[in-house]
């Protein structure tokens, strides 16, 4: 399906091919997904961690999340199968409503504004619906402009995560 | 320490003795804690579940939460050792800051307004600090008046849980 045999130097720049993306199962892209996410997530931490500490803690968090629930990954790829973005969704019993629910643990796109995020979130919702869940949730930082984007996608604000530094 | 041998009918009404509460380790009160919480939590669910479904899902949620992290329970009790409220706190690596963090999974008091909640949250924070965590977090529904109370306790709003019914 994908022309993976081509050397990367022979392919057109990824920005040019990104607009004709497709969304496919992401399980064979996990290395790429977590490598991308590990870089992005680091910028959200407000604590000074050494590279080693961060990598170790990141690995522990991911393994902890993967240990419970049923997980599904989708990726957006260009026609050469190159990674453009991903969504990670997990099924669990919700801790507030006590019904089967889906959580979007992560959604990322390398190229915002061309519909990759929309296609990924729709695919995640479609999968969650098919799996029999009654709702889908996600967490977003209070200052993240994505709040508006999620709201346009039909998400409403349900709860607040409050925190105190010790 | 407590005069547990007295028959309940011989004790004064719990409302009278609640004001002179103390906070103690809660591990021997787990049955009472989860029984109390199972009743309270049901009122937060917006879905119609049969009693059996709710009990089963509640049990799965609690077992799932207990399966990861290091947990600590404190209870407030009167001088007869009667349960007045509890806090459940858990240590994990935070999924955003990637540092050791504490989460308050649950805090409840049978008698609001007499300082039980304040004493419980302070004890949870003291324990979390002693365990080397750098922050403590909790989740509160957007419409819950407790938001103001947490804010007075030094908690700030960090993230939003958004959701969509499927």
């Amino acid at each position: 399906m994908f022309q993976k045999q081509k050397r990367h130097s022979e392919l057109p720049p990824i920005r040019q091919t990104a607009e004709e993306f497709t969304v496919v199962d992401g399980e064979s892209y996990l290395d790429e997904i977590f490598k991308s996410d590990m870089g992005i997530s680091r910028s959200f931490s407000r604590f000074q961690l050494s590279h080693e500490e961060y990598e170790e803690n990141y690995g522990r968090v991911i393994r902890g999340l993967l240990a419970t629930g049923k997980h599904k990954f989708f990726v957006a790829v260009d026609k050469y199968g190159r990674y453009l973005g991903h969504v990670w969704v997990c099924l669990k019993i919700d801790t507030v409503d006590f019904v089967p629910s889906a959580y979007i643990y992560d959604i990322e796109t390398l190229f915002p504004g061309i519909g990759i995020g929309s296609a990924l979130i729709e695919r995640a919702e479609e999968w969650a619906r098919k799996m029999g869940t009654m709702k889908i949730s996600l967490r977003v930082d209070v200052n993240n402009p994505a709040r508006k984007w999620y709201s346009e996608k039909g998400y409403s604000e349900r709860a607040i995560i409050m925190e105190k530094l010790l």
Side-chain angles (χ1 to χ4, degrees), chain A:
Chain A
M1 180 183 178
F2 300 124
Q3 306 168 37
K4 276 206 171 173
Q5 68 282 10
K6 277 213 184 183
R7 291 220 324 274
H8 264 214
S9 56
E10 297 166 14
L11 300 178
I14 194 166
R15 185 65 190 85
Q16 282 173 28
T17 59
E19 306 217 0
E20 285 175 69
F21 65 87
T22 50
V23 173
V24 298
D25 288 336
E27 279 70 18
S28 59
Y29 284 80
L30 293 189
D31 283 354
E32 211 150 357
I33 288 171
F34 288 122
K35 204 181 132 199
S36 158
D37 177 58
M38 192 164 77
I40 294 165
S41 292
R42 188 164 191 181
S43 65
F44 285 98
S45 176
R46 295 156 311 158
F47 292 87
Q48 295 296 329
L49 295 172
S50 72
H51 186 68
E52 289 69 29
E53 261 179 320
Y54 174 71
E55 278 210 4
E56 192 194 318
N57 289 354
Y58 178 84
R60 284 171 66 185
V61 165
I62 298 298
R63 285 191 298 276
L65 293 177
L66 286 171
T68 336
K70 181 171 172 56
H71 300 264
K72 182 66 196 161
F73 295 85
F74 294 104
V75 284
V77 293
D78 72 1
K79 63 178 172 178
Y80 301 102
R82 290 183 293 189
Y83 168 91
L84 299 167
H86 70 270
V87 63
W88 174 11
V89 58
C90 173
L91 300 189
K92 291 197 293 188
I93 303 282
D94 183 70
T95 57
V96 178
D97 284 317
F98 298 97
V99 292
S101 302
Y103 288 85
I104 293 178
Y105 276 153
D106 196 23
I107 180 165
E108 303 289 352
T109 169
L110 293 185
F111 303 108
I114 58 172
I116 292 175
S118 301
L120 288 167
I121 203 166
E122 279 160 29
R123 183 67 71 91
E125 290 169 8
E126 181 191 310
W127 177 81
R129 209 177 282 120
K130 210 179 292 173
M131 298 299 290
T133 65
M134 302 168 89
K135 61 175 211 177
I136 186 162
S137 313
L138 53 85
R139 170 189 167 132
V140 57
D141 266 26
V142 281
N143 299 322
N144 191 331
R147 270 170 84 170
K148 191 167 165 289
W149 188 79
Y150 291 122
S151 162
E152 286 160 8
K153 300 282 174 204
Y155 289 74
S156 57
E157 306 199 340
R158 174 71 198 276
I160 315 287
I161 304 294
M162 299 187 73
E163 71 173 27
K164 180 176 179 174
L165 300 183
L166 294 177

